[in-house]
Amino acid sequence: MHDDRSITEHRLRRVLAERIRPAVHARSVPLTVERWQAPDEPVPVTEGLAAPYEPCAIGEPWGPAWGTTWFKVTGTVPADWAGRTVEAVLDLGFDRMMPGFQCEGLVHRADGSEIKALNPYNDRVRVTDRAVGGERVEWYVEGASNPVLVEHRPSREGDRQTSGDQPLYRLARMDLAVFETEVWELVQDLEVLYDLMQQLGDADARRYGILHALGAALDTVDLDDVPGTAAAARARLTGVLASPAHASAHRISAVGHAHIDSAWLWPLRETVRKVARTTANMVHLMDDHPEFVFAMSQAQQLDWIKTHRPGLFERVKKKIADGQFVPVGGMWVESDTNMVGGEAMARQFLYGKKFFLEEFGIETRGVWLPDSFGYTAALPQLVRLSGAQWFLTQKISWSQVNAFPHHTFWWEGIDGTRVFTHFPPVDTYNSDLGPAQLAHAARNYREKGRGSRSLVPFGWGDGGGGPTREHLARARRQRDLEGSPRVEIERPDAFFEKARAEYEDAPVWAGELYLELHRGTYTSQAKTKQGNRRSESLLREAELWAATAAVKAAGYAYPYEELERIWKTVLLHQFHDILPGSSIAWVHREARATYARVGEELCALTRAAQRALAGEGTTELVFNCAPYARRGVPAGGAGRAVEAGRPVTVQERPGGGQVLANGRLRVEVDGRGLIVSAYDLEAGRESVAPGLAANLLQLHPDFPNMWDAWDVDAFYRNNVTDLVGLDALEVTQAGPAAATVRISRSFGSSQASKAVQWITLRAGSKTVDMVTEVDWHETEKFLKAAFPLDVKADRSAAETQFGHVWRPTHTNTSWEAAKFEICAHRWIHVGEPGWGAALLNDSTYGHDVTRDIRADGGQTTTVRLSLLRAPRYPDPETDQGTHTLRFSLAPGAQIADAVREGHALNLPERVVHGAHPVAPLVAVDHDAVVVEAVKLAEDRSGDVVVRLYESRGGRAAATLTADFPVVAATESDLLERALAGTAVAAPTAQSAVPLTLRPFQIVTVRLRRA
């Protein structure tokens, strides 16, 4: 038989594009279009409806960047369309190759209620299923002219303050049209069969059967009367569409989804509208398709709908009750998980799941995080403590070097907790449900022979409008189709139940899920990261003192509403494109202002609680919110500070520089302003590797291959400039309480950037403290601070949520080499038996650790902090300006010292004048057990909630003692509900609660007050 495949395939592509698809809406009449340009920011719907509209023609330009244009469309259904299905085709000027990331619209009725959104693959609105001649249409379209910012090049369009005012789009089509149902169905048949055929091998008889059926269907279509012959053409395809899938065919659980970044290439205010548009589409689609299931994560986004679109929210609630609209994820937003603090991660689950429970009566069972940039090893325990049973992500498929070995597995966290986990092998969270993607999922699935199913999230995200009727048509055709995986639309929980039932003994992956990409997100937008860290610390402080005052100070009222509101604001800004620094300038400009406001509010709440506790008086009281005593003030208490330790001395250093000493450390700063010695006097041990210098600022070129704000590529290390040029060196404080050396340097190609550092040694301290102020005017550069340490360390310990994670310092395998940039919270530690050193910080997350063997046989382990970057996309002015960064070197530190000093650096003391000291509300008698949070219960019962964890990776038997009568103590989950199998014993008469913790275990104790 002659091979005429290419001829038939070419014929099909052309006939589809030029005859059949256009025939779906071939009979049309134009609508009358009027427009009104909103003057500034988006306006309420009532204002848009009442605006003064002016005539508008097809082809007219509209929409400056970030503008809102309202269109009024009116028309009448022609009399000769009676009995036909009629739709409006409303094309705002969409680019069909780019769903999302461009203009969008939301269609309203004249009463203001939402109908559905307009998107590149969803630009039609049903008028009637059975037309009556003369039927009137009057709709209002809220058009958003969001600029296209996906080209990965610098643009000033990423902020309303710098964007242009020229129109970006042209109206393409505003018509009433007859919807030819049979033609549309023929399109779906042809597309699915053609795409399926492309996935089959040249020797597969099924391929040729489909090919000949397609040829026969094309022969049946009359190109001059497509609607009249579509049904007959479809009949020629019945046989190949009815052939069932193989018994062993891969099984796909298809879940409708529309991944919407809560901010990214658009500001938060636009996400509010994107969510409304997509949600309107989904409930509209559900009305016509009862089989459709749509999963939506991020409680924040549903809360926006509740606040801004109450009518739409009621429709959503009904669809949730019907089981079609499925809340998933259990978190306030799809947050970053690398840099978010431990307590903030707990609150993501607390406030997310609380919202779903209170609004919908739903206990979400899984964590849905498809797009975050790697996943902390602390997460499995938090997932399970939230009451969830499964975890889903997809982003690890983006790793550059190593392919992850599993798609379905048990993920084990640092404490030993395991959670059932799935990576969809389709390798996207925006699937089109086409045969090509489903075939990829089946081929790619790594559990073949043990498991038989995977999950596919389908739908256009980020303003693409979500799933469409075309997606559902593909699912129907591939439900049981030879050559295709079997497809069933179902809820995520149903998939996980089936997957776990068939593969209970799935393999185990222990430790973090490190993404071998987007490592620059640990550093980009330093002020956003500072704002997050400071807000987390201030929230801890405000809650501690507010809870203490609520129990101890008569008349003080715990600020429930204020704290919850602020927590939700901070949680929102932990979204995985805000905290990582990968959003447009507008987002980060607003974030800086928001963090400043949050800081003022939290400081005010703290001051009010401390005044209530201290009483009126003139005694200087130090309030210590850190989890360890310092200067004689107990953890969580207030009192008179006791100065301890030998005075600090300062001497000239031979050859230039200064020597600072306090009896515990001797620090030499040479004439270049670098630390050439940090000698541990107690251990008789030098910290700095011989011949090298610590606190060395280093500048690298930083031009990654693609994702500017997201990535640093390993080749950045090939070129480095040590910043050793000195403008000035002077002693600014000479003891006895502290000694400080100030160093200033200019750097950069035009010496436009400047770094001023203050190196301080304090009496009694075992840390060298550095404050670095950088006036940063570099472009595409990477600033690091290097500490080459004389220690043989084969691994480093980096603080993560509720513990720490170990990572090799060597590069034996490609997996280790890929971790050339790593994340740490307040500290990173390297050591050998008996001695170690820690590097502490107050707002830095990116680090790298390397090792070298010297000529003397010793090992130099160099720990570097990543301070600043200067990518140009998506914010061309990233990090420009002045930054103040704090970090410390702790020679001789063990893990316990790193934990203590890391908290001390991030939780400074506050001095308040009052009448009397304040005893801690709660205390723990084991140094390895850290109190992470003290607060009043969310249910306003007055119960005190204490969250604590084992911090060193060992077992701990401890006693939690309350400074108030306790009648009951209960171990709780993250939602403060009682847990079965509790580790908490009954309180004693002295309000003491014995605890036993396994390594890195998190325990939440709820104390009922007498």
Side-chain angles (χ1 to χ4, degrees):
M1 185 171 64
H2 299 301
D3 187 354
D4 58 358
R5 286 176 297 169
S6 63
I7 295 173
T8 301
E9 292 171 9
H10 192 147
R11 178 190 181 195
L12 174 59
R13 290 194 296 269
R14 183 177 185 193
V15 171
L16 256 177
E18 297 183 24
R19 292 292 186 272
I20 301 179
R21 288 195 191 102
V24 173
H25 290 116
R27 297 176 61 185
S28 63
V29 295
L31 288 158
T32 299
V33 184
E34 300 170 90
R35 63 183 285 181
W36 173 70
Q37 178 68 44
D40 190 28
E41 284 294 279
V43 300
V45 174
T46 52
E47 186 175 338
L49 299 179
Y53 286 83
E54 298 177 351
C56 178
I58 298 303
E60 278 192 15
W62 71 277
W66 307 115
T68 300
T69 304
W70 283 80
F71 298 97
K72 180 180 180 180
V73 295
T74 54
T76 303
V77 176
D80 61 349
W81 291 4
R84 307 300 298 270
T85 299
V86 178
E87 294 186 335
V89 181
L90 307 175
D91 185 345
L92 299 177
F94 298 120
D95 181 344
R96 306 288 174 183
M97 301 305 293
M98 188 175 59
F101 311 104
Q102 55 177 294
C103 62
E104 302 172 58
L106 181 57
V107 184
H108 300 80
R109 300 180 184 87
D111 63 5
S113 60
E114 304 87 358
I115 302 176
K116 66 178 293 291
L118 301 176
N119 311 95
Y121 289 114
N122 203 343
D123 61 356
R124 66 271 162 174
V125 185
R126 183 64 57 91
V127 175
T128 178
D129 291 329
R130 191 172 181 82
V132 176
E135 189 172 344
R136 288 282 298 166
V137 171
E138 180 183 338
W139 290 336
Y140 296 79
V141 179
E142 182 186 10
S145 49
N146 300 329
V148 175
L149 296 170
V150 293
E151 300 95 336
H152 286 268
R153 63 172 181 260
S155 172
R156 298 286 176 179
E157 298 288 277
D159 195 334
R160 186 69 183 267
Q161 294 183 351
T162 57
S163 59
D165 57 5
Q166 295 302 307
L168 300 177
Y169 300 98
R170 288 183 182 273
L171 277 186
R173 185 179 182 183
M174 294 277 182
D175 291 343
L176 284 179
V178 173
F179 175 67
E180 300 290 356
T181 304
E182 282 296 318
V183 177
W184 182 85
E185 294 285 2
L186 176 60
V187 170
Q188 312 315 309
D189 292 344
L190 294 173
E191 288 183 342
V192 165
L193 288 170
Y194 174 75
D195 290 348
L196 175 60
M197 183 175 65
Q198 302 302 307
Q199 306 310 310
L200 302 174
D202 289 346
D204 194 324
R206 171 68 166 163
R207 178 178 183 129
Y208 294 92
I210 294 173
L211 181 75
H212 295 310
L214 290 171
L218 293 175
D219 290 340
T220 307
V221 174
D222 182 346
L223 300 185
D224 294 325
D225 183 17
V226 174
T229 55
R234 293 192 69 208
R236 305 300 295 268
L237 302 172
T238 302
V240 289
L241 285 169
S243 183
H246 297 303
S248 60
H250 187 66
R251 295 179 180 273
I252 297 286
S253 294
V255 180
H257 184 54
H259 176 78
I260 302 178
D261 288 303
S262 288
W264 178 26
L265 302 180
W266 47 85
L268 287 167
R269 67 88 155 148
E270 193 56 32
T271 315
V272 175
R273 300 204 296 174
K274 284 180 180 284
V275 169
R277 290 187 285 256
T278 298
T279 305
N281 272 356
M282 295 305 92
V283 295
H284 185 82
L285 191 62
M286 289 170 188
D287 287 340
D288 296 329
H289 295 275
E291 81 281 10
F292 175 46
V293 170
F294 176 75
M296 185 170 178
S297 64
Q298 306 194 67
Q300 170 70 87
Q301 295 188 357
L302 286 160
D303 191 43
W304 279 332
I305 301 172
K306 178 184 177 183
T307 301
H308 298 281
R309 300 277 180 171
L312 179 59
F313 187 69
E314 289 305 313
R315 295 168 64 195
V316 168
K317 288 183 73 172
K318 178 163 190 320
K319 295 301 183 183
I320 289 174
D322 293 343
Q324 285 187 271
F325 199 117
V326 184
V328 293
M331 298 175 71
W332 189 248
V333 295
E334 288 185 13
S335 76
D336 172 80
T337 77
N338 288 312
M339 294 170 284
V340 174
E343 188 57 27
M345 283 298 304
R347 302 304 175 95
Q348 287 284 355
F349 291 107
L350 167 63
Y351 289 116
K353 296 199 69 165
K354 180 183 173 188
F355 181 88
F356 293 141
L357 281 164
E358 291 177 351
E359 296 295 337
F360 314 123
I362 286 179
E363 172 92 22
T364 54
R365 296 177 58 194
V367 175
W368 181 283
L369 273 178
D371 191 34
S372 293
F373 309 147
Y375 304 91
T376 170
L379 200 52
Q381 184 177 192
L382 290 163
V383 170
R384 296 302 298 272
L385 285 174
S386 76
Q389 303 297 315
W390 55 259
F391 177 76
L392 178 141
T393 185
Q394 183 273 320
K395 198 70 171 188
I396 299 299
S397 69
W398 287 41
S399 285
Q400 288 176 309
V401 179
N402 298 286
F404 196 82
H406 312 297
H407 283 113
T408 301
F409 60 100
W410 289 96
W411 180 22
E412 181 180 308
I414 55 174
D415 72 310
T417 298
R418 293 179 179 178
V419 61
F420 195 71
T421 300
H422 182 66
F423 291 174
V426 71
D427 286 345
T428 179
Y429 42 79
N430 294 313
S431 174
D432 61 9
L433 278 191
Q437 289 188 353
L438 301 190
H440 172 76
R443 287 192 301 267
N444 192 37
Y445 183 59
R446 293 178 177 271
E447 320 307 326
K448 296 182 185 74
R450 300 298 305 277
S452 66
R453 62 185 70 244
S454 66
L455 185 147
V456 172
F458 69 92
W460 307 115
D462 280 334
T468 65
R469 62 191 182 191
E470 287 78 15
H471 290 127
L472 302 184
R474 292 169 197 152
R476 286 195 300 274
R477 285 159 176 78
Q478 295 173 96
R479 182 178 178 85
D480 188 11
L481 181 63
E482 183 184 356
S484 167
R486 285 188 172 87
V487 177
E488 183 175 1
I489 294 176
E490 61 183 349
R491 299 161 64 95
D493 284 344
F495 162 77
F496 276 94
E497 288 172 3
K498 295 173 184 176
R500 182 168 173 176
E502 75 172 3
Y503 204 16
E504 179 70 29
D505 60 342
V508 176
W509 179 272
E512 67 182 327
L513 298 173
Y514 178 92
L515 178 64
E516 296 173 1
L517 194 73
H518 295 355
R519 305 165 184 90
T521 58
Y522 309 149
T523 306
S524 296
Q525 298 287 359
K527 288 186 178 177
T528 299
K529 291 170 170 58
Q530 276 191 326
N532 175 74
R533 179 78 69 83
R534 182 168 184 261
S535 297
E536 290 177 343
S537 297
L538 289 173
L539 275 162
R540 171 200 175 95
E541 191 176 6
E543 284 188 335
L544 169 65
W545 302 127
T548 306
V551 174
K552 296 189 173 196
Y556 178 86
Y558 191 80
Y560 291 101
E561 290 87 357
E562 294 92 332
L563 288 170
E564 179 169 338
R565 173 178 51 79
I566 294 170
W567 261 117
K568 289 177 177 178
T569 299
V570 173
L571 299 179
L572 167 60
H573 286 78
Q574 292 172 340
F575 178 75
H576 66 252
D577 276 308
I578 303 179
L579 178 55
S582 46
S583 288
I584 55 173
W586 190 343
V587 173
H588 293 289
R589 171 172 57 82
E590 289 190 332
R592 291 190 293 270
T594 297
Y595 284 130
R597 185 182 69 251
V598 163
E600 291 173 359
E601 290 185 83
L602 289 171
C603 286
L605 290 175
T606 293
R607 285 193 298 270
Q610 289 175 337
R611 283 196 299 267
L613 287 165
E616 296 296 328
T618 59
T619 302
E620 186 176 278
L621 301 172
V622 170
F623 277 75
N624 175 22
C625 72
Y628 295 95
R630 52 185 169 183
R631 295 205 297 157
V633 180
R640 297 287 297 272
V642 178
E643 299 297 341
R646 291 167 54 180
V648 185
T649 61
V650 185
Q651 294 179 332
E652 292 283 341
R653 178 178 178 272
Q658 303 290 330
V659 179
L660 317 179
N662 67 357
R664 304 188 74 191
L665 291 178
R666 185 180 67 242
V667 180
E668 295 187 31
V669 180
D670 73 1
R672 301 169 297 172
L674 303 177
I675 297 175
V676 292
S677 174
Y679 194 82
D680 181 351
L681 293 167
E682 294 174 336
R685 169 105 182 222
E686 177 59 65
S687 304
V688 181
L692 298 176
N695 191 36
L696 171 65
L697 298 179
Q698 296 182 305
L699 196 65
H700 294 272
D702 185 16
F703 191 65
N705 284 344
M706 183 175 179
W707 300 87
D708 288 16
W710 292 259
D711 282 358
V712 288
D713 288 329
F715 53 74
Y716 87 87
R717 292 179 171 179
N718 297 343
N719 294 281
V720 61
T721 300
D722 292 343
L723 303 186
V724 295
L726 189 66
D727 294 341
L729 187 155
E730 60 180 332
V731 175
T732 59
Q733 188 176 11
T740 301
V741 178
R742 179 184 181 274
I743 303 108
S744 61
R745 315 177 190 280
S746 299
F747 63 93
S749 57
S750 61
Q751 299 292 291
S753 297
K754 188 168 185 175
V756 180
Q757 289 192 296
W758 291 264
I759 301 175
T760 299
L761 182 64
R762 305 179 193 281
S765 176
K766 198 74 182 288
T767 68
V768 188
D769 302 325
M770 284 141 280
V771 176
T772 302
E773 186 177 283
V774 183
D775 189 10
W776 181 246
H777 297 286
E778 302 305 300
T779 298
E780 294 167 349
K781 295 292 189 293
F782 196 6
L783 183 66
K784 292 258 186 177
F787 290 79
L789 304 173
D790 187 10
V791 59
K792 186 181 187 305
D794 294 328
R795 60 180 185 169
S796 65
E799 188 190 34
T800 190
Q801 298 90 346
F802 300 105
H804 56 268
V805 60
W806 294 99
R807 300 184 182 100
T809 60
H810 58 73
T811 55
N812 284 356
T813 70
S814 59
W815 292 86
E816 290 140 3
K819 296 181 181 180
F820 58 81
E821 184 79 2
I822 56 177
C823 183
H825 284 211
R826 288 168 288 215
W827 55 266
I828 188 165
H829 180 272
V830 291
E832 56 193 46
W835 194 89
L839 200 57
L840 320 160
N841 74 83
D842 80 336
S843 58
T844 297
Y845 296 94
H847 297 75
D848 70 271
V849 183
T850 55
R851 60 197 294 271
D852 295 287
I853 302 300
R854 306 187 298 266
D856 65 3
Q859 177 178 315
T860 298
T861 301
T862 301
V863 182
R864 298 198 302 169
L865 298 100
S866 303
L867 302 181
L868 294 169
R869 297 186 67 219
R872 301 185 65 210
Y873 175 81
D875 176 3
E877 299 294 326
T878 301
D879 281 337
Q880 298 300 298
T882 303
H883 304 267
T884 301
L885 307 162
R886 293 175 175 83
F887 42 92
S888 301
L889 174 65
Q894 299 300 317
I895 294 290
D897 303 307
V899 173
R900 182 185 65 253
E901 297 297 342
H903 279 98
L905 180 60
N906 283 266
L907 299 168
E909 302 165 334
R910 290 183 186 267
V911 176
V912 177
H913 290 88
H916 50 76
V918 179
L921 189 64
V922 295
V924 178
D925 65 355
H926 197 304
D927 280 352
V929 178
V930 173
V931 174
E932 180 75 1
V934 179
K935 62 188 289 290
L936 294 196
E938 294 290 317
D939 62 8
R940 307 196 179 189
S941 61
D943 291 358
V944 174
V945 174
V946 182
R947 188 152 22 250
L948 35 79
Y949 69 100
E950 196 288 318
S951 65
R952 300 178 191 172
R955 296 180 183 273
T959 300
L960 172 68
T961 303
D963 193 36
F964 55 89
V966 175
V967 297
T970 308
E971 184 178 1
S972 304
D973 66 7
L974 298 183
L975 275 70
E976 302 171 4
R977 305 172 298 193
L979 277 176
T982 178
V984 174
T988 68
Q990 292 75 37
S991 296
V993 181
L995 301 171
T996 302
L997 285 76
R998 66 177 182 272
F1000 297 133
Q1001 183 180 3
I1002 305 165
V1003 175
T1004 303
V1005 183
R1006 183 168 178 149
L1007 304 173
R1008 190 187 312 159
R1009 294 154 56 194

